Every structure is written in C-alpha cells, then in structure tokens.
Amino acid sequence: MKSVRRALAVSAAALLTLTMTACGEDGGGEEPLSDDALVIYSGRNENLVGPLLEKLEDETGIDVQVRYAGSSELAAQLLEEGEGTKADLFFSQDAGALGALAKADRLDTLPEATLAEVQDGFADPNGHWVATSARARVIAYDPAQAPEVTEMTTVDAVLDPKYKGKIGFAPTNASFQSFVTALRLTKGEDGAKEWLEKFAANEPKAYDNNILVLDAVDSGQVALGLINHYYWYERVAEKGADAVKAKIHFLDSDDPGALVNVAGAGILAGSPQKEAAVKAVDFLLSEEGQRYFADETAEYPVVQGITSTKHDLVPLAELERSSVDLNSLDSLEQTLALLDEVGLT
Amino acid sequence: MTTPEARAADATRAPTSRGSSRVPFFLGAPSVVVAGITLLPIAYLLVRTAEAGASRVAEIVLRERTVLLIGRSVLLAALVTSLSIAIGVGLAFLATRTDLPGRRVLAGLAPLPLAIPSYVAAFAWISAVPELAGLAGSVLVLTLCCYPYVYLPVLAALRRADPGVEEVARSLGRSPSQVFREVTLRQVRPAAAAGGLLVALYTLSDFGAVSILRYDVFTRVIYTAYRSSFDRSTAAVLSLILVLLTVAISVGESRVRRRDIARVGAGVSRAVQPVRLGGLRFPLGGAAGVVLALALVFPIGSLLWWFLNGLSAGIDGVHLAESVAATAWLALLGAVACTLGAVPVGILAARHRGSFTTVVEQITYAGHALPGIVVALALVFLGVRVVPWVYQEAPLLVLAYVVLFVPTAVGAVRSSVAQSSVRGEEVARSLGATPTDVLRRVTLPLAAPGIGAGSALVLLTCMKELPATLLLRPTGTDTLATSLWTETGVGAYGAAAPYGLALVVLAVLPTIWLMRLTDRERGTPR
C-alpha cells in the first residue's frame, strides 16, 4: 500500500506542478493570437492551402496566423464568437458557410476592385465574400465498361438499369449533398425524391469519400462514379495519364449533375486588420494564388485568363454556370432528410 | 428482499447512508464547483433554446424525424451497452477468476482497444467490409471500442472483492456457475453499471463512428443543424433532448447501483482459488481471442498496412514529435483536472448519499452525452465573453475536457470508494483523526487503484478527443487527433497512419501504468 500511495503522491505532485506551469505559460509555449497578426480561420485543409498561406506571408510581409478546422464548425464558431472574435479573415471550403456569416452580418463588404477581379457570378451579389476557386461535379467512368458515357448530357442517364450495382458514390460527401440539393432545386421535392428512389433502386455502391469512389472506378469495381473533377486530375498528375484507367465526363452545364461549387473568403466585420485582410484576399486572387489552385489542387481559377501549367483543365467559361444559385444551397437539412427517407445515407 | 441470500447480502451491505445529512464542507464545496462547470454548456443551450421561442421548439421536438432519430439512438445505445457489459464482465472474470491459459496476457490486452479512436476503427472496418454500413457496423465498432469502459472497473472490482464470500457460497454447496451469478455478479454490479453508463453515454455522443458507418442517429442531426443552416437554436433544442435522455439513463443506473455492496470488516484482497474451466477453456479462450482480434489486431493491422503503404511519401518526424508532445501534454492536464474534480464528487456519491449528493452527481453526468462540438461551441460563446484571455489557450480546452470527461473519473472514484469498507474510516475517526485526515490516510489510499483507473481512462479519452480540441486548441498546436483529421481530410491515409499509430502507442502507456498499479496493490500484504 505504501508504495502505491507514494507513487500516487509523487505523480499527483508532478502533475500539479505541470498544471501550474501550463496555466502560467499560455498553453505550452504556443504563441497566442496577436492583435498585430492577420488571423485566418481556414476551413480548407492545411495540406491543401498551408503552403499558399505561407507564400502569402512571404510575399506580402503580413504576419499571418492560421487556425484550421472544418468550414461549418468554423462558421458556427465565428457566429458564437460574435464581435469578440480574433479572426480577421474566413477562408471557407464552400459558399454555404460564408453565406451564413453574411446573413448574420458578420462579414464586411469587400472593395469593388477585389470583387471585380473574378469572373461574373463568382462573388456574392452583396459583396460580402468572393470565390477563390471552383470545382465541378463530374461523372468518372471506366471506358472499358461504359464507353457510352461520353454521350451523356444529363445525370438522369445514370438511372438506366444497365448500371445496376455499377455506380459508386460518396453519400456523406458535402459536394454530393450539394448535388442533391441542386437536384431538389431544379426538379422540385417530388421530382428529386423520384430521382433518388430510382437511383437507390439501381443499387449504387456507397463509399466513404470521392477518392475511394475514383479507386473503385479505376479498378473496374464499378463502371461509373459521381465525384468532383479535381480528384481525377490529381490522380493523373500523380500517376501519369496512362496509369489511370478511369476517365471523366462533364455533363451539360445546366444539369444538376454538373454543379459548380466554390471555395471562397470573406473579411470579418469589425476586423482591425481590414487592410491586411484585403491584401490577403487580393493575393488569393492574384496570378500566383490562382495558379496555385490550378496547379496544386487542380481546382478552377476564378480569375479570367489564368490556366494551369500542370493540368489540362476544361476552361471554366466553357462549363458555364449551372442554373443553380450557390446561395440557395443552404437547405442541407431537407436534403439529408430526403436521403435518409430513400435510404441513401 | 425475502430470500435468505438477499438478506445475507443486506447484512453485508455497509450503512452507506450514514452521515448523509452532514456533507463535509471540504467535499461539498468543490463538488458544487465541479457541478457548476459541467452545467455551463447546458446553461448555454437553454439560452439558445429560449431564443427560438416555444412554437419553434415544439415544432422541432415533434417532427417525425426527431422522434425516429431518438429511437435509433436509444436502440444503438441499448445494443452497444448490453454487448459491452457482456464482453467486459466476461473478459474480466476470465482474466481474474479462472485458470484460463494466458489470462495475464488477456488481462493486459483487453483494455487496449480504448487506445483506438472509434473513427479509426470505423474507417478500418468500412474500407474492408463496405456492407457493414448501418446499424450492424455501428454496433460492432462501438462495442469493440467501448467494452473496456466496463472491463476496467469490473476487473478492479474483482481484484479488490473479498473472495471470502465466494468461498463461503462454494462451501455451502453452490456450483461455480451459481457462485458466479449469485455472488460474483452482485459484487461487480456497481462497477459494471458505472461502466455501462459510460458506454451508453459515449454511444449517444459519438459522431465519428456513426458518420463513417452512415447510421443516422441523433448526433448526426445536431451536426447537420450546424452544418446546414447554421441554425444554432435547432441544434440547441436537439442537444437538450439528448441531455434529458442522459439524465434518464443515469438516474436508471443509480437505481441499479442503490444495491451496492461494500465490504464489512477487514476484508482481504488475496489470491483467489481460480475456477477450473475444464473443457470450457477452449471455447471461452477462443471467444476472448476473437474479441481481441476484432477489437485490437484488425484496426492496428489496418493502420500498419496504411503506414507501410504511405512510407514512400516519407514521414514528417518533427511534426509527429510535436503532435505527440502536445497530445500528451493536453491529455495529462485534462486527466489531472478531471481527477481532481472527480475525487470530491465520487467520495460524496459513495459515502454521503442524500438529495444534495444525488443532484450534484447527476449534474456532472448531464453533459456527458453532448457531442464534443456542442460543448466546444458553448465554451466558445462563454470563453470569448467571460475569459477572453484564456480563449483558445490550454486552460479553456482543459475546462472542455472536464465538462466532457469528468463523469468517467467520477464513476471510477465512486465505485472504488463504495467497495472499500466504511469501518476503517470509522475506526480512524474514533481514534481521533480529523475528517480530512481520514480522507487522506484511509479513504484515498484504499480507493487509489480505482482513482488511478479513472485518471487513466480520462487520459486516454482526452488523447482521442477531436471536435473540442479542434476549436479550442492553442493556435498552431496540433495534437495527434487533429493531425490525423488533417491528413484523412485530403484522403492521405498513408500519411495519417503514423499519427494513428502514435496515438495508439501513446494511449497504451497509461493503461500499462494502470495495470501495474493494480497488480502491485494486490501483491502487497496489509
């Protein structure tokens, strides 16, 4: 017993000392968010945009501090923080999170010059946020099993019974869910439900994410996959065009299956660093920033005239915009309820 | 209470209600503080719900989908809890009370699945067996991740239980299986119930596993409410329903526990004559082996496979080391804070029953089933306004760990204190020791293994925590869980694997410490 007690007492004392030092040390030596630095809340993954934000620091001389988390979690966090936030800039994976902040009057208006840099339709009409890159929904296919996909114009074509058990999709992926929302907006609730019921009857195979869907198409496990375009471009860049069996096909631009989603940025209202924040947004829209998205993440630049040096991207202007307004993609709750109802969760 | 056995059990039960009217200040005051801290998120949820207005609240509560999802959550929690209790009690019994070959190895390995985050296990399973999506897979994965919550306290209880009662029962002609059912199970019931409560609450609050396994339960709707419309009122109303569910479950558990058995007289933990399994040793040993294979070998094997696949891309050793240090550091702080908070509440609950104690104890459990994101946002809201100087610093994150995990430690403290004899404390007091002396020199040392177990559990759980850590961590700090999240976010499973493996290795350390502590206590003559 004695030894136990001694062990406990020693460890307790040691831990207590640690706690005290922790509290005195401002969290183990990490720099606290400073008022002089530009604080960015990034809902985009550190692996994707970390190097770009480092470049931002080098090129502009702005002292940048970044906190990474999910876009929706960060939007909720920013709403809870309210005016007490230390964040100056919100860099979001999707328009919905930016729209929610704009709706709550948490975003400042961006300067005209900044908004004018992007192509038409890629900035919030009220000027509260601007898109920084775009991604398109595409159909990935195995040419050996489904060469006819090149002729497809609408996503309705995947309902053909000949694809029974041969379609891969990622039901929990936010872009897939946006596609279903677009389906609801274009076909109406009943039309969307009918589409999803037929889709479910075709016994599509659910995967955890788009990468696994692409794997399945590439290995021939399924003939078709519903994914975002950049997964395929990244795969081709990584392995070489010859090593990737899967191909992708863009549907007609007004089809919900060709929905274009965006990532974007907005400046927090009341930020003491507005000038630096505008500089940061301008950097994201600069040739260097846009080329980074085109080359490193295989996304579409949203500024006219910039093309990728690495990937052979179909120009955004050719895709046109799908008829769905990105601001109206915020009814995810009904979308998920619908997916649950037809058994596609 | 009419059978002779029941009456005998009645007689062996310690007068635990003694002194309930006099809650000592040095226990009562800190308990109230702890309860106040755990109430913070609920206060926040009430504010948000009030904003919604009565009709909106009614609309949210009465939706068909809400009712459906409550049903699913309860079903999942019930299945996972029953299976965890069966596996946890079974393995603990095999490891301590039988002649099963390799039982020491079993005892050492059985708690280790705790080191594997449910989201890692879920991903390992679904990538290998896609058909597991849904209820079946969720039950499988959560049971395999959660049974140690039952196994650990039951193991501690069995090791500390006085085998005399079992020996008497056997000498009176009871068969081994009767002894197991009528004596052993009764002795471990408080520990099993406390563990089962943690399993049930963990299952209700888990988001990672059910979202990967695509089983739509309550937590998913709460997340969706944040994700979709950023409608914080809906999320708040739904979270409060979860709180009510939690209270109902923990009240139920305390009813079961009301018949706690405490040791009378000296009570000796000593070597027990093991139950001879005979021909049963192969099926039972095989079953235990299968559990360990599914819960431990399979997910670790998957991690290793990804690790080897990702080796070509190289490992960022510096970042890995930094993540390990930050994880150990923050989890250690969380464990210390939770243990310090749990000791007064746990002793109160074991020794000073009464309405005050009941309320305080139930409050500490109330927030335990809340998903991490809800607790995190509550502390975001309060932190920015009340203590901006520690916002997004370690102290506020540690506070979140206390809210989330203090019940884990309370359960451990309470059941180990309840199991040790009240007589020792009474003797000490009659010899003139002050109440604080009794606490320091009798109660705490006797309960030390249980408290150690509680700290170890909290330490493990803090290491794996993701949503609150992500929002509240100091800027620039990455824990293993957040690094894992970053890598898997871009589908880099090979690059994620080193963090997953490091997390498992790191989480194994407190478990080993805990096992050694319990062993040493057994071997020391008193």
Side-chain angles (χ1 to χ4, degrees), chain A residues 1 8 15 22 26 30 32-33 41 45 47 67-68 72 77 80-81 100 177 206 209 332-333 336 340, chain B residues 44 48 63 65 214 227-228 230 329 336 385 391-393 445 448 471 473 475 477 486-487 493 524:
Chain A
M1 259 341 275
L8 267 185
L15 294 182
D26 263 341
E30 291 298 334
L33 290 181
Y41 277 16
N45 195 290
N47 283 356
R67 289 186 66 88
Y68 294 94
S72 34
Q77 181 167 24
E80 291 300 357
E81 288 177 348
Q177 291 165 357
N209 57 43
L332 187 62
E333 205 178 341
L336 292 189
D340 187 30
Chain B
Y44 155 86
R48 284 272 171 260
R63 276 185 315 194
R65 188 171 155 75
R214 301 197 301 276
R227 266 184 56 198
S228 51
F230 302 92
W329 173 245
V336 172
R385 285 162 183 80
Y391 183 62
Q392 291 172 342
E393 302 291 353
L471 294 193
R473 62 188 163 151
T475 303
T477 299
T486 302
E487 299 297 342
Y493 301 113
T524 313

Side-chain angles (χ1 to χ4, degrees), chain B residues 449-488:
Chain B
I451 296 174
S455 320
L457 274 182
V458 175
L459 195 59
L460 294 163
T461 321
C462 288
M463 285 175 181
K464 297 182 291 180
E465 207 287 334
L466 180 62
T469 309
L470 211 47
L471 294 193
L472 294 172
R473 62 188 163 151
T475 303
T477 299
D478 278 319
T479 67
L480 290 168
T482 64
S483 300
L484 198 60
W485 172 84
T486 302
E487 299 297 342
T488 51

Side-chain angles (χ1 to χ4, degrees), chain A residues 46-338:
Chain A
E46 183 168 8
N47 283 356
L48 292 181
V49 301
L52 179 65
L53 296 179
E54 270 167 35
K55 256 189 213 169
L56 161 70
E57 196 159 20
D58 295 343
E59 303 273 313
T60 59
I62 302 170
D63 184 13
V64 176
Q65 292 186 330
V66 196
R67 289 186 66 88
Y68 294 94
S71 291
S72 34
E73 283 90 340
L74 284 176
Q77 181 167 24
L78 284 164
L79 289 171
E80 291 300 357
E81 288 177 348
E83 286 166 15
T85 188
K86 292 174 193 164
D88 301 299
L89 185 66
F90 179 39
F91 191 10
S92 171
Q93 180 74 16
D94 52 67
L98 287 162
L101 286 177
K103 217 191 262 177
D105 291 330
R106 292 299 308 134
L107 294 182
D108 217 336
T109 318
L110 292 164
E112 280 301 326
T114 302
L115 294 167
E117 285 176 49
V118 298
Q119 301 178 47
D120 273 356
F122 283 93
D124 172 38
N126 298 316
H128 287 121
W129 56 266
V130 63
T132 50
S133 59
R135 56 186 180 272
R137 293 294 294 173
V138 295
I139 301 214
Y141 64 100
D142 174 7
Q145 289 185 66
E148 70 282 2
V149 169
T150 46
E151 307 297 319
M152 276 188 192
T153 53
T154 161
V155 76
D156 294 351
V158 307
L159 300 178
D160 192 318
K162 72 178 168 195
Y163 298 123
K164 193 160 194 167
K166 289 185 176 171
I167 310 165
F169 77 124
T172 54
N173 176 267
S175 295
F176 171 76
Q177 291 165 357
S178 288
F179 151 70
V180 175
T181 308
L183 206 61
R184 288 177 39 235
L185 294 172
T186 48
K187 291 183 188 290
E189 299 297 330
D190 293 341
K193 192 177 168 189
E194 203 189 320
W195 192 95
L196 289 169
E197 276 167 349
K198 282 187 188 156
F199 185 62
N202 235 357
E203 294 167 15
K205 288 195 178 151
Y207 293 88
D208 195 56
N209 57 43
N210 282 312
I211 295 165
L212 298 177
V213 174
L214 182 57
D215 285 345
V217 176
D218 205 35
S219 64
Q221 283 176 48
V222 292
L224 312 179
L226 306 180
I227 63 169
N228 290 341
H229 78 276
Y230 53 86
Y231 294 102
W232 183 81
Y233 284 100
E234 277 169 3
R235 182 69 55 92
V236 168
E238 186 190 327
K239 297 198 166 168
D242 297 335
V244 182
K245 267 170 56 193
K247 301 268 176 261
I248 53 170
H249 175 66
F250 291 83
L251 297 169
D252 277 2
S253 61
D254 57 349
D255 190 83
L259 181 72
V260 172
N261 273 302
V262 299
I267 297 172
L268 274 298
S271 158
Q273 297 286 334
K274 182 158 184 189
E275 201 184 322
V278 171
K279 259 193 210 167
V281 176
D282 286 338
F283 175 78
L284 295 177
L285 297 176
S286 70
E287 191 175 339
E288 188 175 3
Q290 291 292 298
R291 175 140 300 131
Y292 178 90
F293 293 124
D295 287 350
E296 303 304 324
T297 64
E299 290 173 291
Y300 286 109
V302 289
V303 174
Q304 195 98 47
I306 294 179
T307 49
S308 176
T309 54
K310 256 193 191 172
H311 307 285
D312 186 20
L313 294 177
V314 177
L316 189 56
E318 263 174 48
L319 294 179
E320 295 287 329
R321 294 290 309 285
S322 113
S323 53
V324 177
D325 175 10
L326 292 174
N327 281 311
S328 55
L329 288 178
D330 62 354
S331 51
L332 187 62
E333 205 178 341
Q334 293 94 304
T335 295
L336 292 189
L338 187 60

Side-chain angles (χ1 to χ4, degrees), chain B residues 164-451:
Chain B
V165 189
E166 286 169 316
E167 284 162 12
V168 168
R170 225 174 292 160
S171 73
L172 290 175
R174 293 280 186 269
S175 72
S177 74
Q178 278 174 316
V179 174
F180 176 71
R181 272 182 286 126
E182 294 170 13
V183 182
T184 318
L185 279 188
R186 293 183 75 98
Q187 282 178 323
V188 302
R189 189 162 54 185
L197 176 64
L198 293 179
V199 173
L201 299 188
Y202 178 81
T203 305
L204 285 178
S205 71
D206 178 79
F207 174 71
V210 292
S211 75
I212 290 172
L213 292 160
R214 301 197 301 276
Y215 186 58
D216 231 358
V217 288
F218 218 63
T219 38
R220 228 174 139 185
V221 203
I222 293 175
Y223 268 78
T224 307
Y226 283 122
R227 266 184 56 198
S228 51
S229 42
F230 302 92
D231 178 355
R232 289 164 293 160
S233 296
T234 304
V237 174
L238 296 174
S239 301
L240 279 180
I241 297 178
L242 207 51
V243 171
L244 291 180
L245 218 56
T246 313
V247 171
I249 292 174
S250 69
V251 166
E253 186 259 358
S254 69
R255 291 260 160 88
V256 174
R257 217 197 319 128
R258 199 166 285 172
R259 288 179 256 155
D260 280 9
I261 295 175
R263 204 185 281 164
V264 180
V268 184
S269 319
R270 58 189 156 81
V272 187
Q273 183 70 37
V275 174
R276 287 185 206 292
L277 291 176
L280 278 176
R281 63 162 65 179
F282 296 108
L284 287 177
V290 168
V291 169
L292 291 184
L294 297 181
L296 214 53
V297 179
F298 177 74
I300 292 180
S302 304
L303 278 176
L304 280 173
W305 188 79
W306 285 319
F307 175 70
L308 295 174
N309 267 6
L311 266 186
S312 54
I315 298 175
D316 186 346
V318 176
H319 188 247
L320 182 63
E322 284 172 355
S323 300
V324 168
T327 308
W329 173 245
L330 290 168
L332 213 54
L333 293 179
V336 172
C338 287
T339 308
L340 289 179
V343 165
V345 181
I347 295 177
L348 266 194
R351 289 288 189 253
H352 303 274
R353 297 248 183 102
S355 49
F356 170 79
T357 303
T358 308
V359 170
V360 164
E361 198 199 353
Q362 297 298 340
I363 285 175
T364 59
Y365 276 88
H368 193 46
L370 287 176
I373 184 83
V374 175
V375 172
L377 288 173
L379 290 181
V380 165
F381 177 79
L382 296 168
V384 163
R385 285 162 183 80
V386 184
V387 282
W389 55 90
V390 290
Y391 183 62
Q392 291 172 342
E393 302 291 353
L396 198 68
L397 178 57
V398 170
L399 197 71
Y401 289 156
V402 170
V403 173
L404 285 165
F405 306 131
V406 83
T408 311
V410 168
V413 174
R414 186 198 55 220
S415 52
S416 57
V417 172
Q419 263 219 340
S420 55
S421 173
V422 186
R423 299 277 187 263
E425 295 169 20
E426 287 170 350
V427 169
R429 230 173 289 152
S430 73
L431 292 173
T434 64
T436 42
D437 265 347
V438 175
L439 176 71
R440 194 166 51 82
R441 298 174 59 183
V442 183
T443 316
L444 286 182
L446 281 177
I451 296 174

